[in-house]
Amino acid sequence: MREILPALSAWYAAGVPFGLATVVAVSRSAPRDPGAAMAVGPGDEVVGSVSGGCVEGAVFELAQEVVASGEARLQTFGYSDQDAFAVGLTCGGELTLLVRPVSPATDPAFGEVAGSVAAGRPVTVATVTDGPAPRGATLAVWPDRVAGSLGTDGLDVAVTADARGELALGATGLRHYGPRGERREDAVTVFLHSFAPPPRMLVFGAIDYAASVARIGDFLGYRVTVCDARPVFATPKRFPQGVEVVVDWPHRYLRDTDTDGRTVICVLTHDPKFDVPLLEEALRRPAAYIGAMGSRRTHDDRMKRLVEAGLTDRELARLRSPVGLDLGARTPEEVAVSVAAEIVALRWGGTGAPLTATAGAIHPH
């Protein structure tokens, strides 16, 4: 959704209705996650994707129909091999889409939501997908206010509370309620789409490897900062556009920087006077991943110094060192792929093994 918002905002500002299809549920090997979106705008212009090409033709027609009728539609696509020309997912999965018309008349808060997402301000959009409440009705929920309605005050109150909880986690998914927000009923299905600010990647040590790690971090959607105490190395021209470059002692910068359970910290400093005090700080604060570069000998010396500094076994167990998965990487770019692979595997519980050597679902529930 983030990628197509500029086009949607332009259509919305011009007052032109468009059809917005959003993946609200998936099962098995569906190609896109909940929140993936595709829109059909003026002149039949298409932006985004919901399946990587499998069902986009059918979704294009659905989007045209909902704009013409003004009524939202819920559609499920699954695997189909009975007819070579049937619309279905060749991967064997199943995805459910909500396709709804969007315009200033049907969704007055859409422009403000788009502005918040573009500015990195957190917001969750709750949309009715099924049940006695109006399908396609939306409620935008910020940490301090709401806009719109799902049909009843009770439903709005219950969904607002859940939406703020999901926003804190950056989570997206379906919730079920009674018509007036009853918790133990499931008559109304609501899709909560959270737009939390991008997670942070903090890269310490402005070396060639840092430029490659920063580049792949930016590609994965992180807000990347590179920090080094040496101004001759910490120059913006050495790093991709959009990457923040800071000249400061790494441990001092981290001490004054907020981190959370999604933050990635990559220590590439290769120098005990930098990385030991930095890791002392990092291993005692929230983070999803803390990795440090170095040889086996460097790692052993670093661990000894960290033990002497008073870190516990539990704190030291959080450290991924030497950093990255065993890919046989040599170049900075290959090492960056190794580091990114480890970050993704740790996030989703992957093994790092070749898929040809594994069995069962590729994407476990």
Side-chain angles (χ1 to χ4, degrees):
M1 177 69 87
R2 293 179 188 273
E3 288 75 13
I4 67 174
L5 269 178
L8 306 190
S9 297
W11 295 340
Y12 187 86
V16 180
F18 57 88
L20 177 61
T22 304
V23 177
V24 297
V26 300
S27 66
R28 299 189 298 278
S29 297
R32 300 298 300 274
D33 290 328
M38 167 182 159
V40 178
D44 292 337
E45 181 181 354
V46 177
V47 293
S49 172
V50 291
S51 73
C54 297
V55 301
E56 265 68 5
V59 176
F60 174 81
E61 294 179 358
L62 275 173
Q64 291 179 314
E65 291 172 7
V66 301
V67 170
S69 67
E71 298 181 356
R73 298 267 299 275
L74 191 69
Q75 182 72 47
T76 297
F77 294 94
Y79 178 72
S80 176
D81 62 354
Q82 301 302 313
D83 181 347
F85 297 98
V87 174
L89 302 179
T90 58
C91 61
E94 184 176 278
L95 59 83
T96 300
L97 303 174
L98 177 70
V99 189
R100 65 185 183 95
V102 179
S103 68
T106 61
D107 191 348
F110 184 88
E112 190 176 1
V113 168
S116 293
V117 175
R121 295 189 295 269
V123 60
T124 294
V125 178
T127 308
V128 174
T129 66
D130 205 6
R135 177 175 290 160
T138 61
L139 176 70
V141 181
W142 289 268
D144 58 348
R145 67 190 191 284
V146 300
S149 176
L150 303 182
T152 67
D153 290 342
L155 184 58
D156 288 348
V157 169
V159 170
T160 295
D162 288 346
R164 286 181 174 145
E166 298 291 80
L167 187 58
L169 299 172
T172 287
L174 293 173
R175 288 292 188 103
H176 302 278
Y177 306 89
R180 296 176 180 81
E182 297 90 341
R183 297 287 184 176
R184 296 188 178 184
E185 298 184 25
D186 59 1
V188 179
T189 303
V190 178
F191 180 62
L192 301 180
H193 193 175
S194 296
F195 295 93
R200 297 200 66 183
M201 172 183 279
L202 306 177
V203 182
F204 295 96
I207 60 177
D208 289 345
Y209 291 95
S212 296
V213 170
R215 185 174 294 108
I216 203 166
D218 179 67
F219 175 75
L220 291 175
Y222 288 92
R223 180 164 68 91
V224 183
T225 299
V226 175
C227 175
D228 198 303
R230 302 162 295 182
V232 67
F233 296 116
T235 60
K237 67 181 181 181
R238 299 184 65 235
F239 296 93
Q241 185 177 5
V243 170
E244 180 186 28
V245 180
V246 174
V247 179
D248 200 351
W249 278 80
H251 72 283
R252 184 168 60 193
Y253 174 77
L254 182 58
R255 186 179 59 216
D256 296 332
T257 299
D258 291 333
T259 63
D260 59 27
R262 301 184 301 153
T263 303
V264 166
I265 299 174
C266 297
V267 179
L268 314 179
T269 43
H270 266 295
D271 189 330
K273 70 175 178 287
F274 292 129
D275 58 19
V276 171
L278 170 60
L279 287 170
E280 283 187 65
E281 178 68 32
L283 293 169
R284 289 169 171 158
R285 59 166 50 232
Y289 175 91
I290 303 169
M293 177 176 281
S295 66
R296 300 287 183 189
R297 183 161 57 182
T298 298
H299 167 75
D300 292 341
D301 177 70
R302 180 191 294 134
M303 292 294 283
K304 179 181 177 182
R305 292 172 184 266
L306 290 172
V307 170
E308 292 172 350
L311 272 80
T312 66
D313 290 343
R314 183 175 182 179
E315 290 167 339
L316 291 173
R318 301 178 63 205
L319 179 61
R320 316 290 289 194
S321 174
V323 70
L325 296 185
D326 180 13
L327 304 182
R330 295 291 189 273
T331 67
E333 292 77 15
E334 290 174 344
V335 169
V337 171
S338 168
V339 173
E342 185 175 44
I343 291 170
V344 173
L346 187 63
R347 177 183 180 187
W348 296 111
T351 65
L355 288 173
T356 54
T358 64
I362 294 175
H363 304 292
H365 179 66

